[in-house]
Amino acid sequence: MVDAMEDLRAHLHRVRIPEPTNRIFKQECCVSFDTPKSKGGLYVDMSSFLAFGEDFVDWNYQKTGNPVYLHIKQTKKVVSEEDRPSKKPTILAIGVEGGFGSGEPQYEESCSIIILPHYASLPFPSVVLPEKVRLAADAILLAEGVERKEQVSAWVAEKQASAYAMNLPQIDNDIIVPPSGWKCAKCDKTDNLWLNLTDGMILCGRKNWDGTGGNNHAIDHYNETKYPLAVKLGTITADLEAADVFSYPEDESVIDPLLPHHLAHFGIDFSSLQKTEMTTAERELDQNTNFDWNRLQESAEALQPLFGPGYTGLVNLGNSCYLAATMQVAYTTNAFVSRYFANRSLKSAFDDAPADPTVDLNMQLTKLGHGLLSGRYSSPSSEKQEGIPPQMFKTVIAASHPEFSTMRQQDALEYFLHLLEQVERVNAGNPKLDPSRNFKFGIEDRIQCPSGKVTYNRRYDYILSLNIPLHAATNKDQLEEFQKLKTQAESEGKDMAAGEIVRPRVPLEACLASYSAPEEVMDFYSTALKAKATATKTTGLTSFPDYLVLHMRKFVMEDGWVPKKLDVYIDVPDIIDISHMRSKGLQPGEEILPESIDGEAEFTGPVANEDIVSQLLSMGFGQLLCEKAAINTSNVGVEEAMNWLLSHMDDPDIDEPISHMSQKAPASVDQSKVDTLISFGFQEEVARKALISTGGDIEKATDWIFSNPNAASSSDMDTSSSGAAAAEAELPDGPGRYMLLGFVSHMGTSTHCGHYVAHIKKDGKWVLYNDEKVGASVNPPKDMGYLYFFERLTE
């Protein structure tokens, strides 16, 4: 004891009392997933406040010379089974009343002061310790750790008071809403009804992706009137906090602090009403029990848990399943395994990391790789599959992307592209070690104008994004019969059972063929013809990557810019051959389109539809104004062009030539349209680029974004320079035969809600990765994937 105390006093100058601004780690090791609950506990450096597991604390001492540590050890308490009640969840929440129980055991905590290198130990708390040490240790234990600060409750998002509630206009139209017997004012719907709190209109909600729900009359009414708030009838009870209030301009469920007053305006006595409808959150929870959800998670099967190297799950940090599913597949590829596990030790990664290894992406990728693949955290002796929490990795990978730093659900495709871009960035100094290059490939567009001359444009990508040609479904007879039964059921007021639903089945070959099929390019400016014409474009690949990732475009925009998920199955074989998709480049006898002549004004703006212009001319408007109206409304129709004309007649530039207008147009876009696309979940930079590329049309801009999923890339991969050829020569290339390695599936109506899981083929058998749960897959739903990962066959 005396020697330990002397040792401690000799190193008091290395002990710091943490300030409120210091980042304190005390719940997880910086280079592993050891915690205070691990066998050796956790050692907190009392100088840097970084935490290390028992097997790694000596590395930190060797690197920094910091000898004094607060050792935190947590030991599980024994709790009887009768103290662990099991309740069915009633809300979409974890660890809160009415939600999914955490089921976490309780722990007893013990602490001590450890001095390296001899691991001399002093008990804590103790009055004999130097005051500086006592103050420092107390501050560490009382502080909220960085790990905890970066976590929020999973699934439940706090509703905010609407900005429109306090000054909500309410029209005195003598409407009195009865306590029951409601019906949509524009159709026969008697459920999923919303009361607009401004004018008292009762209208049906949005149509769901599977055809259920309403007929969009409530949101159509908002688009016409801009009356912002509506409450769902059937959710209003004496407990007004449970009422489902939706704000259309804020595009989310909100709190209306004045809801009693707003309801009283329409004669509603909420104290006597009974709950008859599910709220939006409850309906989302209800999806957990539908057919697709159960099938994707193989809920009907008694899955055999798997343990050992490569079978470690990832804890859901709160809507982080998109990250978990994607990373599990990534760490199945040899590209990631060799870079961040097989050929990279934790020790070397730590030695190469900066003073704070928690902010180094390569360090955290290595930590994650060893956590998933070593088997250290996946033991059959465990009571349950606990998985590892990728909190430090998530913080680092999201540092350059504001959306991924939130606890909101994200698009797995967008996340995967962001991952590869960041991996490429941190490996820029040593590209041969860069795993992202194994996914990268070249794409070549061949465009032929009516003159017969061609032009070739090359770019790079990490994924092959495929449209789903529903007309190529192989079960059209069954679909027609199902539609008849569905129509009959709806006429009788019945719903089709989940097991009776028939979905289109489209072969993957049809999706690949659609990608390569010729398509028309309208308004293509031909330098040979010196005029706009309709050209023909075909697309092929200039190289085949080691790992081919296919993205199925299941999310599209329907009328009214409402996101819709295609309810479709994709028949995916285990082996595919895309050799026919290789681009052949310039062929003998082909003539390249000439470059633009210096000084030639190459008109790149849209062209007015002649029919629309003709009809506007017949109304007495001038030629220039008619053409401008058609162009600025993207040739949608006469009514839209007329409305544009009437609202822009007084514009100062209304009489400027169209060529002048087209040159100025790319400089700015309508901010309201940008905001609309942002509300769909797109980044502002991508939204602006899409609007500029499509003449300001939101629907076309949305299609453009889906057609260019890597548009958010910070580096422009489009190129036709000689440098591109050199860069492409460094990309992996080989035969076009691939074997299915794994797939990521999505459940839910949007990429920004629902749940993701991964199915991966390992050692010849399919494995399901569902957050922390890892089990042998009995019936892998290969036809329900969102992202498919293929590995090149070398034989």
Side-chain angles (χ1 to χ4, degrees), residues 38-70:
S38 299
K39 182 179 179 181
L42 207 59
Y43 293 77
V44 180
D45 185 332
M46 297 187 73
S47 178
S48 68
F49 311 122
L50 296 172
F52 299 88
E54 183 179 47
D55 295 338
F56 313 101
V57 63
D58 192 55
W59 297 355
N60 185 61
Y61 172 70
Q62 295 173 17
K63 185 175 181 177
T64 66
N66 294 339
V68 185
Y69 296 83
L70 174 63

PDB file of all heavy atoms in Angstrom, residues 38-70:
ATOM      1  N   SER A  38     -16.921  -5.969 -18.936  1.00  0.00           N
ATOM      2  CA  SER A  38     -16.008  -6.999 -19.431  1.00  0.00           C
ATOM      3  C   SER A  38     -15.222  -7.599 -18.267  1.00  0.00           C
ATOM      4  O   SER A  38     -15.139  -7.030 -17.177  1.00  0.00           O
ATOM      5  CB  SER A  38     -15.047  -6.406 -20.460  1.00  0.00           C
ATOM      6  OG  SER A  38     -15.764  -5.885 -21.571  1.00  0.00           O
ATOM      7  N   LYS A  39     -14.630  -8.736 -18.524  1.00  0.00           N
ATOM      8  CA  LYS A  39     -13.933  -9.475 -17.461  1.00  0.00           C
ATOM      9  C   LYS A  39     -12.896  -8.617 -16.747  1.00  0.00           C
ATOM     10  O   LYS A  39     -12.783  -8.647 -15.523  1.00  0.00           O
ATOM     11  CB  LYS A  39     -13.267 -10.714 -18.060  1.00  0.00           C
ATOM     12  CG  LYS A  39     -12.552 -11.576 -17.034  1.00  0.00           C
ATOM     13  CD  LYS A  39     -11.942 -12.810 -17.689  1.00  0.00           C
ATOM     14  CE  LYS A  39     -11.216 -13.657 -16.656  1.00  0.00           C
ATOM     15  NZ  LYS A  39     -10.596 -14.870 -17.278  1.00  0.00           N
ATOM     16  N   GLY A  40     -12.127  -7.830 -17.500  1.00  0.00           N
ATOM     17  CA  GLY A  40     -11.073  -7.025 -16.885  1.00  0.00           C
ATOM     18  C   GLY A  40     -11.496  -5.600 -16.565  1.00  0.00           C
ATOM     19  O   GLY A  40     -10.679  -4.790 -16.113  1.00  0.00           O
ATOM     20  N   GLY A  41     -12.762  -5.263 -16.826  1.00  0.00           N
ATOM     21  CA  GLY A  41     -13.212  -3.903 -16.562  1.00  0.00           C
ATOM     22  C   GLY A  41     -12.644  -2.909 -17.554  1.00  0.00           C
ATOM     23  O   GLY A  41     -12.151  -3.273 -18.632  1.00  0.00           O
ATOM     24  N   LEU A  42     -12.692  -1.633 -17.182  1.00  0.00           N
ATOM     25  CA  LEU A  42     -12.246  -0.554 -18.058  1.00  0.00           C
ATOM     26  C   LEU A  42     -11.321   0.377 -17.291  1.00  0.00           C
ATOM     27  O   LEU A  42     -11.553   0.682 -16.123  1.00  0.00           O
ATOM     28  CB  LEU A  42     -13.465   0.228 -18.574  1.00  0.00           C
ATOM     29  CG  LEU A  42     -13.332   0.944 -19.928  1.00  0.00           C
ATOM     30  CD1 LEU A  42     -13.007  -0.040 -21.046  1.00  0.00           C
ATOM     31  CD2 LEU A  42     -14.611   1.691 -20.253  1.00  0.00           C
ATOM     32  N   TYR A  43     -10.265   0.826 -17.968  1.00  0.00           N
ATOM     33  CA  TYR A  43      -9.272   1.723 -17.367  1.00  0.00           C
ATOM     34  C   TYR A  43      -9.391   3.101 -18.013  1.00  0.00           C
ATOM     35  O   TYR A  43      -9.189   3.246 -19.221  1.00  0.00           O
ATOM     36  CB  TYR A  43      -7.866   1.176 -17.575  1.00  0.00           C
ATOM     37  CG  TYR A  43      -7.579  -0.116 -16.839  1.00  0.00           C
ATOM     38  CD1 TYR A  43      -8.072  -1.338 -17.313  1.00  0.00           C
ATOM     39  CD2 TYR A  43      -6.813  -0.117 -15.675  1.00  0.00           C
ATOM     40  CE1 TYR A  43      -7.814  -2.519 -16.647  1.00  0.00           C
ATOM     41  CE2 TYR A  43      -6.538  -1.304 -14.997  1.00  0.00           C
ATOM     42  CZ  TYR A  43      -7.053  -2.500 -15.491  1.00  0.00           C
ATOM     43  OH  TYR A  43      -6.785  -3.676 -14.824  1.00  0.00           O
ATOM     44  N   VAL A  44      -9.706   4.117 -17.221  1.00  0.00           N
ATOM     45  CA  VAL A  44      -9.840   5.478 -17.728  1.00  0.00           C
ATOM     46  C   VAL A  44      -8.558   6.248 -17.431  1.00  0.00           C
ATOM     47  O   VAL A  44      -8.167   6.401 -16.267  1.00  0.00           O
ATOM     48  CB  VAL A  44     -11.039   6.202 -17.085  1.00  0.00           C
ATOM     49  CG1 VAL A  44     -11.153   7.620 -17.646  1.00  0.00           C
ATOM     50  CG2 VAL A  44     -12.327   5.426 -17.330  1.00  0.00           C
ATOM     51  N   ASP A  45      -7.896   6.683 -18.496  1.00  0.00           N
ATOM     52  CA  ASP A  45      -6.669   7.481 -18.377  1.00  0.00           C
ATOM     53  C   ASP A  45      -7.018   8.795 -17.671  1.00  0.00           C
ATOM     54  O   ASP A  45      -7.824   9.585 -18.174  1.00  0.00           O
ATOM     55  CB  ASP A  45      -6.115   7.749 -19.778  1.00  0.00           C
ATOM     56  CG  ASP A  45      -4.775   8.474 -19.757  1.00  0.00           C
ATOM     57  OD1 ASP A  45      -4.507   9.218 -18.802  1.00  0.00           O
ATOM     58  OD2 ASP A  45      -4.005   8.299 -20.728  1.00  0.00           O
ATOM     59  N   MET A  46      -6.414   9.057 -16.510  1.00  0.00           N
ATOM     60  CA  MET A  46      -6.758  10.237 -15.714  1.00  0.00           C
ATOM     61  C   MET A  46      -6.027  11.490 -16.192  1.00  0.00           C
ATOM     62  O   MET A  46      -6.067  12.530 -15.524  1.00  0.00           O
ATOM     63  CB  MET A  46      -6.499   9.983 -14.229  1.00  0.00           C
ATOM     64  CG  MET A  46      -7.376   8.870 -13.666  1.00  0.00           C
ATOM     65  SD  MET A  46      -7.269   8.639 -11.882  1.00  0.00           S
ATOM     66  CE  MET A  46      -8.163  10.086 -11.298  1.00  0.00           C
ATOM     67  N   SER A  47      -5.439  11.397 -17.373  1.00  0.00           N
ATOM     68  CA  SER A  47      -4.858  12.570 -18.008  1.00  0.00           C
ATOM     69  C   SER A  47      -5.594  12.913 -19.293  1.00  0.00           C
ATOM     70  O   SER A  47      -5.966  14.060 -19.517  1.00  0.00           O
ATOM     71  CB  SER A  47      -3.374  12.342 -18.310  1.00  0.00           C
ATOM     72  OG  SER A  47      -2.815  13.454 -18.963  1.00  0.00           O
ATOM     73  N   SER A  48      -5.826  11.919 -20.162  1.00  0.00           N
ATOM     74  CA  SER A  48      -6.506  12.162 -21.444  1.00  0.00           C
ATOM     75  C   SER A  48      -7.993  11.845 -21.380  1.00  0.00           C
ATOM     76  O   SER A  48      -8.734  12.245 -22.272  1.00  0.00           O
ATOM     77  CB  SER A  48      -5.870  11.304 -22.536  1.00  0.00           C
ATOM     78  OG  SER A  48      -6.128   9.920 -22.310  1.00  0.00           O
ATOM     79  N   PHE A  49      -8.415  11.093 -20.332  1.00  0.00           N
ATOM     80  CA  PHE A  49      -9.811  10.672 -20.144  1.00  0.00           C
ATOM     81  C   PHE A  49     -10.281   9.721 -21.236  1.00  0.00           C
ATOM     82  O   PHE A  49     -11.484   9.592 -21.480  1.00  0.00           O
ATOM     83  CB  PHE A  49     -10.749  11.881 -20.036  1.00  0.00           C
ATOM     84  CG  PHE A  49     -10.264  12.922 -19.064  1.00  0.00           C
ATOM     85  CD1 PHE A  49     -10.027  14.218 -19.474  1.00  0.00           C
ATOM     86  CD2 PHE A  49     -10.018  12.586 -17.739  1.00  0.00           C
ATOM     87  CE1 PHE A  49      -9.553  15.166 -18.591  1.00  0.00           C
ATOM     88  CE2 PHE A  49      -9.544  13.535 -16.833  1.00  0.00           C
ATOM     89  CZ  PHE A  49      -9.311  14.836 -17.259  1.00  0.00           C
ATOM     90  N   LEU A  50      -9.350   9.047 -21.898  1.00  0.00           N
ATOM     91  CA  LEU A  50      -9.683   7.968 -22.825  1.00  0.00           C
ATOM     92  C   LEU A  50      -9.753   6.671 -22.036  1.00  0.00           C
ATOM     93  O   LEU A  50      -9.065   6.500 -21.024  1.00  0.00           O
ATOM     94  CB  LEU A  50      -8.635   7.856 -23.927  1.00  0.00           C
ATOM     95  CG  LEU A  50      -8.496   9.059 -24.862  1.00  0.00           C
ATOM     96  CD1 LEU A  50      -7.291   8.880 -25.774  1.00  0.00           C
ATOM     97  CD2 LEU A  50      -9.762   9.260 -25.681  1.00  0.00           C
ATOM     98  N   ALA A  51     -10.580   5.729 -22.503  1.00  0.00           N
ATOM     99  CA  ALA A  51     -10.782   4.478 -21.788  1.00  0.00           C
ATOM    100  C   ALA A  51     -10.199   3.309 -22.577  1.00  0.00           C
ATOM    101  O   ALA A  51     -10.230   3.302 -23.818  1.00  0.00           O
ATOM    102  CB  ALA A  51     -12.268   4.248 -21.533  1.00  0.00           C
ATOM    103  N   PHE A  52      -9.690   2.313 -21.831  1.00  0.00           N
ATOM    104  CA  PHE A  52      -9.050   1.166 -22.462  1.00  0.00           C
ATOM    105  C   PHE A  52      -9.403  -0.111 -21.705  1.00  0.00           C
ATOM    106  O   PHE A  52      -9.510  -0.112 -20.478  1.00  0.00           O
ATOM    107  CB  PHE A  52      -7.525   1.336 -22.497  1.00  0.00           C
ATOM    108  CG  PHE A  52      -7.081   2.528 -23.288  1.00  0.00           C
ATOM    109  CD1 PHE A  52      -6.962   3.767 -22.682  1.00  0.00           C
ATOM    110  CD2 PHE A  52      -6.821   2.420 -24.636  1.00  0.00           C
ATOM    111  CE1 PHE A  52      -6.573   4.883 -23.403  1.00  0.00           C
ATOM    112  CE2 PHE A  52      -6.442   3.531 -25.383  1.00  0.00           C
ATOM    113  CZ  PHE A  52      -6.321   4.763 -24.762  1.00  0.00           C
ATOM    114  N   GLY A  53      -9.583  -1.202 -22.462  1.00  0.00           N
ATOM    115  CA  GLY A  53      -9.797  -2.504 -21.856  1.00  0.00           C
ATOM    116  C   GLY A  53      -8.516  -3.025 -21.248  1.00  0.00           C
ATOM    117  O   GLY A  53      -7.420  -2.507 -21.483  1.00  0.00           O
ATOM    118  N   GLU A  54      -8.647  -4.111 -20.478  1.00  0.00           N
ATOM    119  CA  GLU A  54      -7.495  -4.673 -19.755  1.00  0.00           C
ATOM    120  C   GLU A  54      -6.361  -5.066 -20.693  1.00  0.00           C
ATOM    121  O   GLU A  54      -5.184  -4.887 -20.358  1.00  0.00           O
ATOM    122  CB  GLU A  54      -7.966  -5.894 -18.955  1.00  0.00           C
ATOM    123  CG  GLU A  54      -6.897  -6.525 -18.105  1.00  0.00           C
ATOM    124  CD  GLU A  54      -7.426  -7.702 -17.312  1.00  0.00           C
ATOM    125  OE1 GLU A  54      -8.126  -8.558 -17.931  1.00  0.00           O
ATOM    126  OE2 GLU A  54      -7.164  -7.787 -16.101  1.00  0.00           O
ATOM    127  N   ASP A  55      -6.675  -5.572 -21.878  1.00  0.00           N
ATOM    128  CA  ASP A  55      -5.647  -6.034 -22.810  1.00  0.00           C
ATOM    129  C   ASP A  55      -5.016  -4.895 -23.610  1.00  0.00           C
ATOM    130  O   ASP A  55      -4.078  -5.134 -24.383  1.00  0.00           O
ATOM    131  CB  ASP A  55      -6.234  -7.052 -23.790  1.00  0.00           C
ATOM    132  CG  ASP A  55      -6.686  -8.328 -23.098  1.00  0.00           C
ATOM    133  OD1 ASP A  55      -6.196  -8.603 -21.995  1.00  0.00           O
ATOM    134  OD2 ASP A  55      -7.554  -9.038 -23.657  1.00  0.00           O
ATOM    135  N   PHE A  56      -5.525  -3.674 -23.449  1.00  0.00           N
ATOM    136  CA  PHE A  56      -5.080  -2.583 -24.307  1.00  0.00           C
ATOM    137  C   PHE A  56      -4.548  -1.372 -23.546  1.00  0.00           C
ATOM    138  O   PHE A  56      -3.978  -0.471 -24.156  1.00  0.00           O
ATOM    139  CB  PHE A  56      -6.247  -2.136 -25.204  1.00  0.00           C
ATOM    140  CG  PHE A  56      -6.961  -3.290 -25.860  1.00  0.00           C
ATOM    141  CD1 PHE A  56      -8.178  -3.749 -25.356  1.00  0.00           C
ATOM    142  CD2 PHE A  56      -6.409  -3.943 -26.953  1.00  0.00           C
ATOM    143  CE1 PHE A  56      -8.830  -4.813 -25.940  1.00  0.00           C
ATOM    144  CE2 PHE A  56      -7.060  -5.016 -27.547  1.00  0.00           C
ATOM    145  CZ  PHE A  56      -8.271  -5.457 -27.041  1.00  0.00           C
ATOM    146  N   VAL A  57      -4.732  -1.346 -22.233  1.00  0.00           N
ATOM    147  CA  VAL A  57      -4.315  -0.174 -21.464  1.00  0.00           C
ATOM    148  C   VAL A  57      -2.799   0.008 -21.495  1.00  0.00           C
ATOM    149  O   VAL A  57      -2.289   1.133 -21.498  1.00  0.00           O
ATOM    150  CB  VAL A  57      -4.832  -0.265 -20.010  1.00  0.00           C
ATOM    151  CG1 VAL A  57      -4.236  -1.467 -19.273  1.00  0.00           C
ATOM    152  CG2 VAL A  57      -4.548   1.027 -19.262  1.00  0.00           C
ATOM    153  N   ASP A  58      -2.077  -1.112 -21.581  1.00  0.00           N
ATOM    154  CA  ASP A  58      -0.616  -1.008 -21.623  1.00  0.00           C
ATOM    155  C   ASP A  58      -0.149  -0.321 -22.905  1.00  0.00           C
ATOM    156  O   ASP A  58       0.884   0.352 -22.911  1.00  0.00           O
ATOM    157  CB  ASP A  58       0.016  -2.399 -21.503  1.00  0.00           C
ATOM    158  CG  ASP A  58       1.513  -2.323 -21.235  1.00  0.00           C
ATOM    159  OD1 ASP A  58       1.906  -1.661 -20.256  1.00  0.00           O
ATOM    160  OD2 ASP A  58       2.285  -2.906 -22.033  1.00  0.00           O
ATOM    161  N   TRP A  59      -0.884  -0.494 -24.022  1.00  0.00           N
ATOM    162  CA  TRP A  59      -0.536   0.190 -25.279  1.00  0.00           C
ATOM    163  C   TRP A  59      -0.572   1.706 -25.071  1.00  0.00           C
ATOM    164  O   TRP A  59       0.301   2.423 -25.566  1.00  0.00           O
ATOM    165  CB  TRP A  59      -1.522  -0.177 -26.383  1.00  0.00           C
ATOM    166  CG  TRP A  59      -1.552  -1.623 -26.763  1.00  0.00           C
ATOM    167  CD1 TRP A  59      -0.738  -2.629 -26.300  1.00  0.00           C
ATOM    168  CD2 TRP A  59      -2.451  -2.239 -27.687  1.00  0.00           C
ATOM    169  NE1 TRP A  59      -1.080  -3.820 -26.870  1.00  0.00           N
ATOM    170  CE2 TRP A  59      -2.117  -3.618 -27.727  1.00  0.00           C
ATOM    171  CE3 TRP A  59      -3.490  -1.775 -28.468  1.00  0.00           C
ATOM    172  CZ2 TRP A  59      -2.801  -4.520 -28.529  1.00  0.00           C
ATOM    173  CZ3 TRP A  59      -4.184  -2.668 -29.280  1.00  0.00           C
ATOM    174  CH2 TRP A  59      -3.843  -4.037 -29.303  1.00  0.00           C
ATOM    175  N   ASN A  60      -1.594   2.151 -24.373  1.00  0.00           N
ATOM    176  CA  ASN A  60      -1.720   3.595 -24.133  1.00  0.00           C
ATOM    177  C   ASN A  60      -0.586   4.105 -23.256  1.00  0.00           C
ATOM    178  O   ASN A  60      -0.051   5.198 -23.470  1.00  0.00           O
ATOM    179  CB  ASN A  60      -3.062   3.899 -23.480  1.00  0.00           C
ATOM    180  CG  ASN A  60      -3.298   5.388 -23.319  1.00  0.00           C
ATOM    181  OD1 ASN A  60      -3.348   6.136 -24.288  1.00  0.00           O
ATOM    182  ND2 ASN A  60      -3.436   5.833 -22.077  1.00  0.00           N
ATOM    183  N   TYR A  61      -0.204   3.305 -22.259  1.00  0.00           N
ATOM    184  CA  TYR A  61       0.912   3.708 -21.381  1.00  0.00           C
ATOM    185  C   TYR A  61       2.206   3.811 -22.184  1.00  0.00           C
ATOM    186  O   TYR A  61       2.986   4.765 -22.036  1.00  0.00           O
ATOM    187  CB  TYR A  61       1.060   2.704 -20.246  1.00  0.00           C
ATOM    188  CG  TYR A  61       2.301   2.940 -19.406  1.00  0.00           C
ATOM    189  CD1 TYR A  61       2.390   4.047 -18.566  1.00  0.00           C
ATOM    190  CD2 TYR A  61       3.378   2.059 -19.468  1.00  0.00           C
ATOM    191  CE1 TYR A  61       3.533   4.271 -17.808  1.00  0.00           C
ATOM    192  CE2 TYR A  61       4.513   2.265 -18.717  1.00  0.00           C
ATOM    193  CZ  TYR A  61       4.593   3.376 -17.889  1.00  0.00           C
ATOM    194  OH  TYR A  61       5.725   3.598 -17.149  1.00  0.00           O
ATOM    195  N   GLN A  62       2.436   2.841 -23.078  1.00  0.00           N
ATOM    196  CA  GLN A  62       3.652   2.871 -23.895  1.00  0.00           C
ATOM    197  C   GLN A  62       3.655   4.067 -24.847  1.00  0.00           C
ATOM    198  O   GLN A  62       4.709   4.649 -25.113  1.00  0.00           O
ATOM    199  CB  GLN A  62       3.767   1.570 -24.698  1.00  0.00           C
ATOM    200  CG  GLN A  62       3.968   0.325 -23.855  1.00  0.00           C
ATOM    201  CD  GLN A  62       3.893  -0.945 -24.682  1.00  0.00           C
ATOM    202  OE1 GLN A  62       3.999  -0.911 -25.913  1.00  0.00           O
ATOM    203  NE2 GLN A  62       3.695  -2.076 -24.021  1.00  0.00           N
ATOM    204  N   LYS A  63       2.502   4.437 -25.353  1.00  0.00           N
ATOM    205  CA  LYS A  63       2.409   5.516 -26.343  1.00  0.00           C
ATOM    206  C   LYS A  63       2.452   6.892 -25.707  1.00  0.00           C
ATOM    207  O   LYS A  63       3.057   7.826 -26.257  1.00  0.00           O
ATOM    208  CB  LYS A  63       1.117   5.353 -27.144  1.00  0.00           C
ATOM    209  CG  LYS A  63       0.947   6.353 -28.292  1.00  0.00           C
ATOM    210  CD  LYS A  63      -0.303   6.029 -29.115  1.00  0.00           C
ATOM    211  CE  LYS A  63      -0.483   7.001 -30.279  1.00  0.00           C
ATOM    212  NZ  LYS A  63      -1.661   6.654 -31.118  1.00  0.00           N
ATOM    213  N   THR A  64       1.816   7.044 -24.544  1.00  0.00           N
ATOM    214  CA  THR A  64       1.681   8.381 -23.940  1.00  0.00           C
ATOM    215  C   THR A  64       2.502   8.567 -22.678  1.00  0.00           C
ATOM    216  O   THR A  64       2.806   9.705 -22.301  1.00  0.00           O
ATOM    217  CB  THR A  64       0.209   8.656 -23.591  1.00  0.00           C
ATOM    218  OG1 THR A  64      -0.212   7.745 -22.554  1.00  0.00           O
ATOM    219  CG2 THR A  64      -0.681   8.474 -24.810  1.00  0.00           C
ATOM    220  N   GLY A  65       2.822   7.474 -21.986  1.00  0.00           N
ATOM    221  CA  GLY A  65       3.518   7.593 -20.710  1.00  0.00           C
ATOM    222  C   GLY A  65       2.590   7.939 -19.557  1.00  0.00           C
ATOM    223  O   GLY A  65       3.052   8.139 -18.430  1.00  0.00           O
ATOM    224  N   ASN A  66       1.287   8.005 -19.822  1.00  0.00           N
ATOM    225  CA  ASN A  66       0.333   8.311 -18.747  1.00  0.00           C
ATOM    226  C   ASN A  66       0.159   7.081 -17.857  1.00  0.00           C
ATOM    227  O   ASN A  66      -0.341   6.049 -18.318  1.00  0.00           O
ATOM    228  CB  ASN A  66      -1.021   8.719 -19.325  1.00  0.00           C
ATOM    229  CG  ASN A  66      -0.944  10.028 -20.079  1.00  0.00           C
ATOM    230  OD1 ASN A  66      -0.026  10.819 -19.878  1.00  0.00           O
ATOM    231  ND2 ASN A  66      -1.906  10.267 -20.971  1.00  0.00           N
ATOM    232  N   PRO A  67       0.505   7.181 -16.550  1.00  0.00           N
ATOM    233  CA  PRO A  67       0.513   5.980 -15.702  1.00  0.00           C
ATOM    234  C   PRO A  67      -0.702   5.809 -14.789  1.00  0.00           C
ATOM    235  O   PRO A  67      -0.930   4.711 -14.279  1.00  0.00           O
ATOM    236  CB  PRO A  67       1.756   6.193 -14.849  1.00  0.00           C
ATOM    237  CG  PRO A  67       1.819   7.684 -14.671  1.00  0.00           C
ATOM    238  CD  PRO A  67       1.207   8.309 -15.897  1.00  0.00           C
ATOM    239  N   VAL A  68      -1.492   6.846 -14.563  1.00  0.00           N
ATOM    240  CA  VAL A  68      -2.549   6.774 -13.549  1.00  0.00           C
ATOM    241  C   VAL A  68      -3.912   6.562 -14.217  1.00  0.00           C
ATOM    242  O   VAL A  68      -4.304   7.331 -15.107  1.00  0.00           O
ATOM    243  CB  VAL A  68      -2.577   8.046 -12.682  1.00  0.00           C
ATOM    244  CG1 VAL A  68      -3.603   7.896 -11.558  1.00  0.00           C
ATOM    245  CG2 VAL A  68      -1.203   8.333 -12.100  1.00  0.00           C
ATOM    246  N   TYR A  69      -4.649   5.540 -13.729  1.00  0.00           N
ATOM    247  CA  TYR A  69      -5.922   5.176 -14.341  1.00  0.00           C
ATOM    248  C   TYR A  69      -6.980   4.934 -13.264  1.00  0.00           C
ATOM    249  O   TYR A  69      -6.678   4.427 -12.175  1.00  0.00           O
ATOM    250  CB  TYR A  69      -5.780   3.905 -15.195  1.00  0.00           C
ATOM    251  CG  TYR A  69      -4.863   4.098 -16.375  1.00  0.00           C
ATOM    252  CD1 TYR A  69      -3.478   3.993 -16.227  1.00  0.00           C
ATOM    253  CD2 TYR A  69      -5.365   4.409 -17.635  1.00  0.00           C
ATOM    254  CE1 TYR A  69      -2.627   4.188 -17.312  1.00  0.00           C
ATOM    255  CE2 TYR A  69      -4.525   4.610 -18.726  1.00  0.00           C
ATOM    256  CZ  TYR A  69      -3.155   4.504 -18.550  1.00  0.00           C
ATOM    257  OH  TYR A  69      -2.322   4.712 -19.620  1.00  0.00           O
ATOM    258  N   LEU A  70      -8.201   5.295 -13.587  1.00  0.00           N
ATOM    259  CA  LEU A  70      -9.348   4.943 -12.757  1.00  0.00           C
ATOM    260  C   LEU A  70      -9.930   3.654 -13.327  1.00  0.00           C
ATOM    261  O   LEU A  70     -10.396   3.620 -14.465  1.00  0.00           O
ATOM    262  CB  LEU A  70     -10.408   6.055 -12.794  1.00  0.00           C
ATOM    263  CG  LEU A  70     -11.724   5.743 -12.082  1.00  0.00           C
ATOM    264  CD1 LEU A  70     -11.500   5.528 -10.587  1.00  0.00           C
ATOM    265  CD2 LEU A  70     -12.745   6.850 -12.313  1.00  0.00           C
TER     266      LEU A  70
END
